[in-house]
Amino acid sequence: MSKMLERILDRQNMNEAYKKVRANKGASGVDEVTLDELHAYIQDNWATICQQIRERHYKPQPVKRVGIPKSDGGKRKLGIPTTIDRVIQQAIVQVITPICESHFSEFSYGFRPNRNCEMAVNQLLKTINEGYQWIVDIDLEKFFDNVPQDRLMSLVHRMIQDGDTESLIRKYLKAGVMVADEYHPTDRGAPQGEFIAHS
């Protein structure tokens, strides 16, 4: 097993991930294990889950698909992973974020640690004050639903170069979604509500 995966599964890293998931609150996933039940679930199942991850046999549960109303009357599709999968995902994020951050643009603010909308607006104002006159606002419709997974994983590989961790991330992308008790495979996209929401 790789050193990176050992860092992900390290007790201190997992404890920090557990605390963050508890603090973020949220609903249960398809297994119906609530955050209040999570500690007992981990005590009963962690040894098996950890061994499965180490041997690349762990299979994440499908994500529960829910629709969140948007201001335009439509619905944004969100994926709710099981509580244990949220902990594992958070543990992954905590280890790979410092590695990935060095590859990102200094002018990128979305879903980045220690960055927010106010910082993006301040950068925009600074740019305007430097004499720039055009602002382009782009919102790619259903972007996360259409991310090509192979291309995404190629970029992940370039950044982290760790087969064990990449295999686990790919399993989360391929876990599928449950919509009204019906399973749908996920061959494209990255369900919103997973890694990006925890980073």
Side-chain angles (χ1 to χ4, degrees):
M1 184 176 64
S2 72
K3 288 182 180 179
M4 181 176 288
L5 198 56
E6 283 290 358
R7 285 171 54 210
I8 289 167
L9 297 176
D10 174 76
R11 177 183 289 271
Q12 184 175 341
N13 188 55
M14 293 303 302
N15 283 340
E16 185 180 335
Y18 169 79
K19 289 175 186 172
K20 284 187 179 176
V21 168
R22 290 274 307 173
N24 287 338
K25 301 185 179 165
S28 59
V30 295
D31 64 355
E32 300 297 329
V33 175
T34 67
L35 287 171
D36 290 335
E37 299 164 333
L38 180 58
H39 188 266
Y41 181 86
I42 290 172
Q43 286 186 318
D44 292 342
N45 298 283
W46 182 245
T48 301
I49 292 170
C50 195
Q51 190 64 27
Q52 288 174 341
I53 292 172
R54 285 190 168 105
E55 295 173 355
R56 292 195 184 188
H57 294 150
Y58 182 71
K59 188 175 180 189
Q61 293 290 309
V63 185
K64 184 193 291 184
R65 174 76 80 205
V66 295
I68 304 297
K70 294 179 7 182
S71 58
D72 64 5
K75 287 195 174 182
R76 172 174 281 113
K77 295 179 185 175
L78 292 183
I80 303 176
T82 63
T83 52
I84 187 63
D85 282 330
R86 292 208 299 269
V87 172
I88 296 167
Q89 289 172 4
Q90 179 62 41
I92 294 168
V93 166
Q94 289 168 182
V95 170
I96 71 171
T97 293
I99 298 165
C100 297
E101 275 295 304
S102 65
H103 295 270
F104 296 154
S105 167
E106 65 176 296
F107 301 111
S108 168
Y109 294 90
F111 305 106
R112 302 275 303 277
N114 305 313
R115 289 174 177 245
N116 57 43
C117 290
E118 183 180 344
M119 294 168 76
V121 170
N122 287 338
Q123 178 60 50
L124 181 63
L125 292 173
K126 179 181 174 190
T127 304
I128 289 171
N129 288 334
E130 289 172 356
Y132 290 90
Q133 298 178 4
W134 289 90
I135 299 170
V136 179
D137 181 21
I138 299 174
D139 185 5
L140 300 176
E141 185 177 1
K142 298 182 180 176
F143 172 78
F144 288 105
D145 293 336
N146 293 294
V147 171
Q149 292 178 358
D150 286 340
R151 182 163 168 75
L152 174 61
M153 289 309 302
S154 292
L155 294 170
V156 170
H157 172 70
R158 264 193 252 165
M159 287 188 269
I160 69 173
Q161 298 182 11
D162 184 81
D164 287 335
T165 304
E166 291 166 40
S167 173
L168 186 56
I169 292 170
R170 185 178 287 276
K171 286 180 179 180
Y172 278 108
L173 291 173
K174 297 285 186 193
V177 296
M178 294 294 290
V179 182
D181 297 326
E182 185 177 336
Y183 175 81
H184 297 269
T186 47
D187 297 321
R188 287 185 70 79
Q192 293 183 73
E194 290 197 50
F195 292 104
I196 60 167
H198 304 296
S199 54

